[in-house]
Amino acid sequence: MNYKLYNWIWKWHFIGGLVSLPIVLLLSITGIIYLFKDNYELREKAVYKKVEVLGTRLSFQEQWDMVKESAKPSAVILPQVEEEATEFVSGRFSNKSSVFVNPYSGSITGNYQLNKTNLFKVRKLHGELLLGKFGTKVVELVASWMVVLIITGVYLFWPRERGWKGLFTVRFNLSKRILYRDLHAVFGFWFSAILLLILAGGLPWTDVWGTSYKWVRELTDSGITKEWKGRGLKSDAKGSSISLDKMLTKAKALNLDGEVSIGLPKSSEGVYSVSNETSNLETMQKYHFDQYSGVELYHGTWKDIGVMRRARLWVMTFHQGQFGFWNWLLVLFTAIALVFMSVTALLSYLKRKKKGEWNVPEVPISFVIGKGLLLLLVLLALFLPMFGISLVFIYFVEKLRRKKFSNS
């Protein structure tokens, strides 16, 4: 074994892990909380959605006209039962809000604004540390280093002296430092692949990596088509628009999977858009209809979505544990394991740390990075730009340190 290389990799695994530790713990804990998002929203919205069936039901068109007096809804959610208030949605992403209308009395039962909820604060803490764009870049930097820590961790733990049994056993009969080290390493090894997949699901939300991914996707035309988005599609403005009730009848007849929403026309030439939100991604569909004649202008399916967009949707869905209970449980256990790995790594370090010293693994000043390792670092730097930036910073710090050492 090349001990110089081993110690060099261990040194940067150690430094990277120690510096990233507070943020990793924060991301893990907030991620665990955010996994309960669906349950939280169901409970919060249930107060507004539950209504009593009394008298004649108002038409959806009448309800829409009432909501337009105080808001500008962009979509309506297809109701599932008679005892459910009609949900009109406005805004997108962080500014998304819902107005609930009692279809029997016409009264507003409530307004659910996403960015006013406690869970939204957890989401902002998880994604940007409540520090805006700067925080987003810090999270991306740590996420990038986590990828490197996983790769270097697997290398450091790969069976050597203890053989293959080292992958399955923990030494409880030796020192506490060894115990914590083994717990960190064994859990880290067996959760490494899932952690990489979860990290892949988080990267599309980041600033630098996410923007770069989007740029490549557009360059290769492997995203969502303009027709899917409704761009270039116009209604033939003749006569009167069909009622929202007729549009809902059409939407129900499509028998789409998951939660179905109807995008409302924004102008006289706008179109009705029907789409479904579901964890069964292959059943995703999008329809556009002429708002006057009700004629279908476009129908898109999963096959019409480009490969890079499909990949993004898949990893992001997995990241949020939305493929079903198995996925939710797997991500939950992985996040808990990451907290456990972080704590055991810190405890192992504190057990070996000498008072007044950092105890950073020592690497001979004569050590030179080989071409193979250099190529790997360049590839990682290109794939993870924030890691690349930190690598340049580390290079100059190390150069100054070596210069100071040679002059002393």
Side-chain angles (χ1 to χ4, degrees), residues 250-289:
K250 277 181 170 289
K252 286 179 181 178
L254 297 173
N255 292 316
L256 299 177
D257 184 42
E259 184 181 84
V260 180
S261 64
I262 300 173
L264 304 170
K266 297 177 182 178
S267 66
S268 59
E269 292 185 333
V271 298
Y272 278 116
S273 303
V274 180
S275 60
N276 61 325
E277 187 173 320
T278 172
S279 59
N280 188 7
L281 298 179
E282 292 186 358
T283 65
M284 282 178 60
Q285 297 185 59
K286 189 67 171 280
Y287 290 85
H288 295 296
F289 296 92

Side-chain angles (χ1 to χ4, degrees), residues 361-399:
E362 293 183 5
V363 180
I365 201 75
S366 60
F367 173 74
V368 178
I369 298 173
K371 292 180 180 178
L373 180 58
L374 183 61
L375 178 61
L376 178 61
L377 288 173
V378 170
L379 291 175
L380 281 170
L382 291 173
F383 182 69
L384 301 166
M386 291 302 293
F387 169 70
I389 292 170
S390 68
L391 213 57
V392 172
F393 175 77
I394 289 169
Y395 169 77
F396 283 109
V397 170
E398 281 289 284
K399 196 171 183 179

Side-chain angles (χ1 to χ4, degrees), residues 13 61 138 161 171 176 201 263 316:
H13 180 85
Q61 185 65 47
V138 173
E161 291 87 355
R171 290 169 287 183
K176 286 187 177 180
M316 288 172 78

Side-chain angles (χ1 to χ4, degrees), residues 13 20 58 79 109 214 227 242 248 301 303 325 336 345 377:
H13 180 85
S20 303
L58 295 170
T109 62
K214 185 179 178 181
E227 289 83 11
I242 62 173
L248 260 78
T301 66
K303 293 179 181 179
F325 184 65
I336 293 172
L377 288 173

Side-chain angles (χ1 to χ4, degrees), residues 30-80:
T30 53
I32 290 170
I33 297 170
Y34 201 71
L35 277 172
F36 294 87
K37 166 183 173 287
D38 291 344
N39 291 334
Y40 175 87
E41 288 190 347
L42 281 173
R43 190 182 72 248
E44 292 289 302
K45 289 183 177 182
V47 180
Y48 310 132
K49 292 184 80 170
K50 184 70 175 177
V51 296
E52 191 176 353
V53 179
L54 291 171
T56 307
R57 187 183 181 95
L58 295 170
S59 70
F60 289 102
Q61 185 65 47
E62 288 174 315
Q63 295 176 60
W64 182 17
D65 291 337
M66 291 170 59
V67 173
K68 282 192 287 187
E69 293 177 5
S70 57
K72 294 181 179 179
S74 56
V76 60
I77 306 299
L78 199 66
Q80 300 296 316

